[in-house]
């Protein structure tokens, strides 16, 4: 089975993908500029990166042998195309895989802001030690602006 994956994904899926599909696998990578590491004809599975140049994306979506397209992002808008309409192609996404990492990052930012960590990092580099009035994160209300 030929599988097209972004370069950054290959090391993470190489060992498990073939076990998953219970078949020998031939991987072709696609780079950030949409360049392919080999012949993509006959590919049955395509793993799409977050962004890809339009010509490369159109080339992948038009492959007649593709049966499964997986987006490494939660959204699949970039993969939705008139080319896919009426084809027997499964389109999946990575919904939910970023929940914990994003929650932890938001918590880290909250603590960095309430504890003035950026200022302390600069002071540490400059070997200057000034006190800052610190807030407690407990009891604060957080508002999310934008999405």
């Amino acid at each position: 089975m030929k599988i097209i994956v972004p370069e950054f994904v290959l090391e993470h899926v190489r060992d498990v993908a073939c076990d998953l599909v219970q078949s020998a696998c031939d991987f072709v990578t696609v780079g950030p500029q949409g360049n392919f590491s080999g012949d993509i004809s006959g590919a049955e599975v395509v793993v799409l990166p977050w962004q890809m140049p339009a010509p490369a994306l159109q080339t992948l979506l038009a492959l007649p042998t593709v049966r499964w397209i997986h987006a490494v992002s939660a959204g699949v808008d970039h993969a939705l195309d008139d080319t896919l309409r009426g084809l027997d192609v499964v389109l999946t996404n990575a919904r939910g895989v970023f929940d914990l990492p994003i929650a932890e990052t938001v918590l880290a930012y909250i603590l960095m802001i309430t504890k003035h960590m950026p200022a302390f990092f600069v002071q540490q580099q400059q070997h200057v030690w000034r006190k800052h009035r610190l807030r407690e994160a407990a009891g604060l209300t957080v508002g999310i602006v934008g999405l």
Side-chain angles (χ1 to χ4, degrees):
M1 173 177 290
K2 190 177 284 188
I3 303 172
I4 301 171
V5 298
E7 289 174 345
F8 70 92
V9 170
L10 182 59
E11 69 180 86
H12 303 288
V13 300
R14 183 190 316 259
D15 296 333
V16 297
C18 299
D19 289 339
L20 206 75
V21 296
Q22 298 179 345
S23 173
C25 294
D26 177 19
F27 290 97
V28 176
T29 60
V30 57
Q33 275 67 47
N35 50 320
F36 300 105
S37 66
D39 179 21
I40 63 171
S41 63
E44 296 179 69
V45 178
V46 173
V47 178
L48 294 177
W50 292 282
Q51 293 181 329
M52 171 181 272
L57 178 61
Q58 290 302 315
T59 299
L60 291 177
L61 296 180
L63 287 170
T65 53
V66 171
R67 297 183 300 153
W68 177 22
I69 297 173
H70 179 74
V72 298
S73 58
V76 294
D77 293 355
H78 63 292
L80 296 176
D81 183 272
D82 286 339
T83 310
L84 293 179
R85 295 186 195 281
L87 296 179
D88 190 21
V89 175
V90 174
L91 177 61
T92 58
N93 66 354
R95 182 180 62 91
V97 299
F98 304 110
D99 294 354
L100 184 60
I102 287 179
E104 289 177 347
T105 299
V106 169
L107 179 59
Y109 287 154
I110 290 170
L111 292 173
M112 286 184 70
I113 291 167
T114 58
K115 300 303 181 189
H116 298 278
M117 295 307 293
F120 283 132
F121 290 149
V122 170
Q123 284 181 207
Q124 184 180 33
Q125 290 173 343
Q126 297 172 350
H127 299 282
V128 174
W129 313 111
R130 288 189 214 102
K131 289 186 177 185
H132 290 269
R133 184 165 180 230
L134 302 179
R135 298 178 67 183
E136 300 294 326
L140 291 179
T141 300
V142 175
I144 299 174
V145 179
L147 208 35

